[in-house]
Amino acid sequence: MPVWGQRLIAGMVAVHYYPVNMAKTTRQSYTAKFKLEMITYAKELGNRAAERKFGPTECVIRKWRKAKSTIKEMRKVKRANRGSKAHHPNLEKALIKWIEDSRHDCLGVSTTTVCLQALRLAKEQNIPEFKASMNWCWRFFGRNKLSIRRRTTISQQLPSDHEDQIGNADQTPLTFDLPSENTVNIKGARTITMRSTGNEKNRFTVMLGCMADGAKLPPYVVFKRKTMPKDKFPSGVIVRMQEQGWFNESIMDDWLKTVWMKRDGGLGKQRSMLVLDAFRCHTTDDVKSRLKRHNTDLVIIPSVMTSILQPMDAVVNKPFKAALKKKWAEWMINGEHTFTKGGNMRKVDMPTICQWIVDAWKELPIKTVVKGFKKCCISNMLDGTEDDILWMDDTDDADDDQKEEDELLVGGARELYIDL
């Protein structure tokens, strides 16, 4: 807009037009390092000289010189100091104490309750101008290293020895041949053949169970057979036969009687918890009533969540199967083999594979079992000190397992045939 000027000449009013540039200027921000340099320059040569050299107006420079001590305490790259200093330190000190006491009693604290408590304290301390706005609340959080956290668990007091009475069990399907999908081979070959006994689809089932303190229950193996063979099976494993080689209601009931009820504390009917997936034989009325009679709370994990919430699936099964593959590979290399009249290698016998299962289960580190329960947020400390386990990366462990399997393959775990 034009600016008009007036002056009186010999009784006449002369009107002059002064064109003025009214273009908008962009607001600038400066780092603490820049401000200190300007303050030093202005102290030596004056505020106006600093304005001509650096750009900010004289009044801004004067304001910065008054706040020199505050600017020195700022980080060099910081441009503003909004909300870094409490206007009512006694109020905030009392408010922090109130928050700490509330959380010590495991009470929930929200931004709304913080603001309401701040208003009560302001009234007690006679600070009528204090408004406790939401902007103040977030600045208060920043000054005192507070944040909004999501609840990880309902805080109820558990007994000190609760971990030895929290268990998880899961069926794992296995085969008499445990070949790997990968092997070392010469580059460019079109056909890669691996020797086995031809029993990659001959399945049986292993039920593995463990406790949150790392204790491992005896393996329970179900083979696909109608009658029990006369073979002598190793100690430390329970063997059963079933026509489909799978768990049904009667097999599950037998597992509860021979494994779960005979664990430490099972015969005494101590209060316990058993975590199972949603397989149909786990949720029958007979299973629920038997567990209830033995003072066991049954927890069922939804079928789509077992890889996240079930310790066996999340952590335990993978190293166990890796150990079995290693034993099968060693047997293929150095084991005693028998052959059919057609020249085919017979599969490993049931007692031998049961011994592998017992050995692999014993070799599994206790810390792996404990980690599985904590990673699934079942036995974690209630004070939140173990919550970081949920986000731990297992890629290093997986790489170690793959390296171990690769070493076995390179050593000749299987014979390779190239374009025969």
Side-chain angles (χ1 to χ4, degrees):
M1 294 178 61
V3 177
W4 296 90
Q6 298 181 348
R7 66 174 178 171
L8 187 62
I9 302 176
M12 300 293 293
V13 176
V15 180
H16 300 274
Y17 172 73
Y18 301 101
V20 178
N21 185 11
M22 299 295 290
K24 288 186 178 180
T25 58
T26 304
R27 186 173 181 178
Q28 298 291 327
S29 63
Y30 303 95
T31 63
K33 181 180 178 182
F34 178 85
K35 294 175 184 178
L36 290 175
E37 292 177 357
M38 184 180 297
I39 291 170
T40 303
Y41 188 90
K43 187 176 180 180
E44 295 177 357
L45 302 176
N47 295 343
R48 292 194 176 185
E51 177 184 357
R52 289 191 294 268
K53 179 175 177 61
F54 293 97
T57 61
E58 182 184 0
C59 64
V60 173
I61 298 172
R62 194 182 305 115
K63 178 182 175 182
W64 288 347
R65 291 185 67 175
K66 290 180 180 179
K68 182 179 178 180
S69 59
T70 304
I71 296 173
K72 277 187 175 181
E73 295 176 358
M74 295 169 55
R75 290 185 296 112
K76 291 183 179 181
V77 295
K78 194 172 181 181
R79 295 175 177 268
N81 202 25
R82 301 184 185 93
S84 61
K85 184 178 180 180
H87 294 287
H88 307 289
N90 292 333
L91 182 148
E92 294 196 3
K93 185 177 180 180
L95 186 58
I96 293 170
K97 179 66 168 56
W98 174 81
I99 293 173
E100 291 175 349
D101 292 342
S102 298
R103 293 303 304 132
H104 180 73
D105 295 334
C106 296
L107 298 175
V109 178
S110 66
T111 54
T112 302
T113 55
V114 168
C115 292
L116 291 175
Q117 181 65 17
L119 288 173
R120 294 190 189 100
L121 293 173
K123 186 176 181 180
E124 293 175 2
Q125 298 180 13
N126 194 22
I127 311 175
E129 72 278 6
F130 182 75
K131 302 298 182 183
S133 66
M134 195 56 65
N135 287 334
W136 166 86
C137 183
W138 289 114
R139 292 197 299 271
F140 165 72
F141 284 3
R143 285 191 293 270
N144 297 281
K145 297 181 180 180
L146 299 172
S147 64
I148 301 297
R149 299 294 306 277
R150 189 171 182 83
R151 186 191 69 201
T152 56
T153 183
I154 297 294
S155 181
Q156 295 179 353
Q157 188 65 32
L158 294 176
S160 58
D161 59 347
H162 72 280
E163 291 186 349
D164 63 351
Q165 295 304 326
I166 298 177
N168 175 229
D170 184 41
Q171 296 95 350
T172 301
L174 295 173
T175 61
F176 284 88
D177 277 345
L178 300 168
S180 175
E181 297 296 329
N182 304 310
T183 186
V184 176
N185 196 77
I186 298 172
K187 291 183 177 180
R190 295 182 178 179
T191 304
I192 307 296
T193 306
M194 298 184 185
R195 173 175 290 185
S196 70
T197 67
N199 285 273
E200 293 91 342
K201 296 183 179 180
N202 191 351
R203 296 182 178 275
F204 61 95
T205 303
V206 177
M207 180 78 151
L208 298 175
C210 51
M211 310 301 290
D213 65 348
K216 290 172 281 188
L217 304 179
Y220 188 97
V221 184
V222 180
F223 289 108
K224 187 177 180 180
R225 186 182 169 102
K226 292 183 179 180
T227 59
M228 180 70 71
K230 297 180 180 180
D231 299 327
K232 184 179 180 180
F233 291 94
S235 61
V237 62
I238 299 172
V239 180
R240 296 289 185 266
M241 304 295 155
Q242 202 264 346
E243 293 184 4
Q244 286 79 33
W246 192 242
F247 264 60
N248 55 21
E249 294 182 15
S250 61
I251 293 291
M252 182 64 194
D253 186 67
D254 184 68
W255 180 85
L256 290 175
K257 290 188 292 185
T258 57
V259 179
W260 180 252
M261 303 307 176
K262 292 186 177 181
R263 76 189 192 283
D264 291 341
L267 295 177
K269 297 184 179 181
Q270 295 184 27
R271 183 69 181 273
S272 60
M273 182 176 76
L274 178 59
V275 181
L276 299 173
D277 58 29
F279 187 47
R280 58 182 177 273
C281 70
H282 297 164
T283 58
T284 63
D285 293 337
D286 291 340
V287 169
K288 293 178 181 178
S289 61
R290 181 177 290 277
L291 290 173
K292 187 175 181 179
R293 289 197 302 271
H294 284 77
N295 206 17
T296 297
D297 296 323
L298 177 62
V299 177
I300 298 297
I301 299 174
S303 57
V304 296
M305 299 296 292
T306 54
S307 62
I308 300 173
L309 300 178
Q310 179 158 250
M312 296 298 301
D313 282 348
V315 176
V316 178
N317 281 341
K318 185 174 182 179
F320 170 76
K321 290 183 177 180
L324 279 184
K325 284 186 177 183
K326 178 181 178 181
K327 296 181 183 301
W328 182 85
E330 291 173 348
W331 177 77
M332 286 293 293
I333 300 171
N334 303 316
E336 296 181 2
H337 303 286
T338 59
F339 297 86
T340 64
K341 292 181 179 180
N344 296 322
M345 185 188 300
R346 289 191 177 94
K347 70 180 186 297
V348 61
D349 58 63
M350 287 187 286
T352 300
I353 203 163
C354 285
Q355 187 63 58
W356 292 352
I357 291 170
V358 172
D359 294 341
W361 192 229
K362 287 182 179 179
E363 293 168 5
L364 188 73
I366 292 177
K367 65 179 183 179
T368 301
V369 178
V370 174
K371 176 185 175 183
F373 279 84
K374 294 187 181 298
K375 192 170 181 65
C376 294
C377 204
I378 294 176
S379 61
N380 306 58
M381 297 291 290
L382 297 181
D383 58 3
T385 56
E386 295 179 331
D387 289 353
D388 58 331
I389 299 176
L390 302 174
W391 320 113
M392 287 179 62
D393 189 3
D394 295 330
T395 55
D396 294 338
D397 296 338
D399 291 343
D400 292 340
D401 293 339
Q402 185 61 45
K403 288 177 182 178
E404 185 176 9
E405 184 177 347
D406 290 345
E407 290 173 1
L408 290 170
L409 295 173
V410 174
R414 301 196 185 109
E415 292 185 25
L416 309 180
Y417 296 86
I418 306 173
D419 237 352
L420 297 178

